[in-house]
């Protein structure tokens, strides 16, 4: 587990410093006697060979993770898989990719031009997972991508890193419901993602989730720095299956709405 913990620690440091500084405050608000349990992280990419889902999954597979589920988001033109480690204490990993070929020719060309800038060797070192952007981009390209696909704009601006971490509500003592966590966060000034309702999913689906809206963070474009939507913090409550074990998968309809945590105002 040492290699797993090291990788997630690096991902966490990048996440709270670059993508979601407010996560540190949320973390402090919810931490009890025991350290918070991270249910899962999510990573975004483009489905081009140099940077595709398989490339992001490889460093996790190298430390014992295995593919456990596939998901399709037709409206957003995304495909995703989730990965689990044999040790249930290890966070799950949800990796999605934009199906670039289904997008406009303008978006396809812009994304290919960005990915062309990625040095081949950069993707061989697992540190790329929390290394941020491996290309330069101008504001006009970012705005064009974001207008067609919020996901493409986000990824083009930020590059690689954890889009979100997720607090497991199952291990909290003070709170047992997602709605209670939402109430605490709202009381402390955090905006909750209301797309599809504040709480997404249901006990019947064996998973309930909610999330904050993404922080606005500074991103360097060729023309200068601009504040754009960064990362967010998610909260998940899992329910037991008929065998008594907690459900470990994801609900596509809920995940679809969680993606919208990075939507701009």
């Amino acid at each position: 587990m040492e290699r797993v913990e090291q990788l997630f620690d690096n991902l966490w440091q990048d996440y709270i410093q670059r993508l979601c500084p407010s996560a540190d405050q949320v973390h402090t608000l919810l931490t009890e006697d025991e350290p918070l349990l991270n249910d899962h992280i999510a990573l975004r990419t483009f489905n081009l060979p140099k940077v595709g889902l398989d490339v992001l999954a490889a460093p996790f597979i190298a430390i014992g993770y295995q593919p456990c589920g596939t998901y399709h988001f037709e409206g957003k033109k995304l495909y995703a898989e989730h990965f689990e480690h044999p040790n249930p204490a290890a966070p799950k990993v949800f990796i999605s990719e934009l199906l670039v070929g289904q997008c406009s020719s303008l978006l396809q060309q812009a994304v290919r031009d960005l990915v062309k800038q990625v040095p081949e060797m950069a993707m061989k070192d697992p540190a790329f997972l929390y290394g941020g952007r491996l290309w330069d981009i101008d504001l006009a390209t970012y705005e064009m991508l974001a207008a067609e696909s919020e996901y493409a704009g986000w990824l083009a601006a930020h590059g690689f890193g954890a889009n979100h971490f997720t607090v497991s509500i199952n291990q909290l003592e003070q709170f047992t419901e997602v709605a209670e966590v939402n109430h605490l966060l709202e009381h402390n000034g955090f905006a909750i993602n209301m797309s599809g309702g504040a709480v997404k999913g249901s006990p019947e689906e064996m998973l309930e989730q909610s999330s904050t809206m993404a922080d606005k963070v500074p991103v360097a474009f060729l023309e200068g720095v601009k504040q754009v939507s960064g990362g967010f913090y998610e909260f998940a409550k899992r329910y037991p299956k008929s065998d008594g074990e907690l459900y470990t998968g994801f609900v596509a309809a809920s995940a679809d709405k969680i993606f919208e945590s990075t939507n701009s105002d």
Side-chain angles (χ1 to χ4, degrees):
M1 275 292 282
E2 190 178 337
R3 291 167 72 199
V4 173
E5 287 167 8
Q6 185 60 55
L7 177 55
F8 278 89
D9 185 54
N10 288 328
L11 283 157
W12 172 256
Q13 292 306 322
D14 172 59
Y15 166 72
I16 59 171
Q17 287 165 29
R18 182 173 65 92
L19 292 165
C20 190
S22 73
D24 223 8
Q25 301 161 253
V26 175
H27 201 75
T28 303
L29 267 180
L30 292 174
T31 299
E32 300 171 339
D33 295 337
E34 297 293 317
L36 291 181
L37 187 66
N38 175 25
D39 182 86
H40 70 273
I41 62 162
L43 302 167
R44 295 180 174 187
T45 195
F46 300 115
N47 75 329
L48 299 179
K50 196 193 284 188
V51 299
L53 191 155
D54 291 350
V55 177
L56 272 66
F60 293 99
I61 289 169
I63 55 175
Y65 276 82
Q66 297 157 351
C68 287
T70 61
Y71 310 87
H72 299 270
F73 305 91
E74 290 174 9
K76 291 182 172 62
K77 301 181 173 70
L78 304 174
Y79 168 74
E81 295 184 15
H82 98 265
F83 300 81
E84 296 178 27
H85 194 274
N87 185 330
K92 289 166 277 295
V93 178
F94 187 92
I95 305 176
S96 57
E97 60 182 6
L98 180 69
L99 304 175
V100 177
Q102 295 182 14
C103 301
S104 72
S105 55
L106 202 59
L107 181 145
Q108 289 186 46
Q109 188 57 54
V111 167
R112 288 177 198 282
D113 287 345
L114 296 179
V115 172
K116 258 186 219 158
Q117 298 177 48
V118 176
E120 290 285 352
M121 290 310 294
M123 306 303 287
K124 303 274 192 285
D125 182 343
F128 86 84
L129 290 168
Y130 46 87
R133 209 172 66 203
L134 294 168
W135 49 78
D136 291 324
I137 182 170
D138 59 63
L139 263 173
T141 302
Y142 163 71
E143 287 166 355
M144 179 275 289
L145 292 172
E148 179 173 341
S149 163
E150 184 280 325
Y151 183 105
W154 190 97
L155 181 54
H158 297 292
F160 301 109
N163 180 259
H164 63 269
F165 273 66
T166 310
V167 175
S168 167
I169 290 177
N170 295 77
Q171 54 106 199
L172 298 179
E173 292 184 3
Q174 190 181 353
F175 302 104
T176 56
E177 301 297 335
V178 177
E180 294 171 342
V181 172
N182 288 350
H183 179 73
L184 173 74
L185 294 169
E186 287 180 311
H187 182 72
N188 282 275
F190 292 93
I192 299 296
N193 172 358
M194 298 302 292
S195 180
V199 179
K200 297 138 194 32
S202 65
E204 292 70 37
E205 293 167 301
M206 292 186 286
L207 176 63
E208 290 180 323
Q209 297 163 275
S210 74
S211 63
T212 61
M213 289 301 288
D215 284 8
K216 290 285 190 285
V217 294
V219 169
F221 295 94
L222 288 174
E223 299 87 343
V225 174
K226 179 181 168 71
Q227 297 272 333
V228 300
S229 290
F232 58 93
Y233 217 158
E234 188 185 320
F235 315 94
K237 179 178 180 178
R238 296 184 177 276
Y239 287 83
K241 300 176 293 183
S242 55
D243 63 4
E245 295 291 316
L246 287 181
Y247 176 69
T248 59
F250 293 85
V251 177
S254 300
D256 186 81
K257 301 302 183 190
I258 294 285
F259 277 120
E260 295 174 18
S261 301
T262 55
N263 283 5
S264 299
D265 298 335

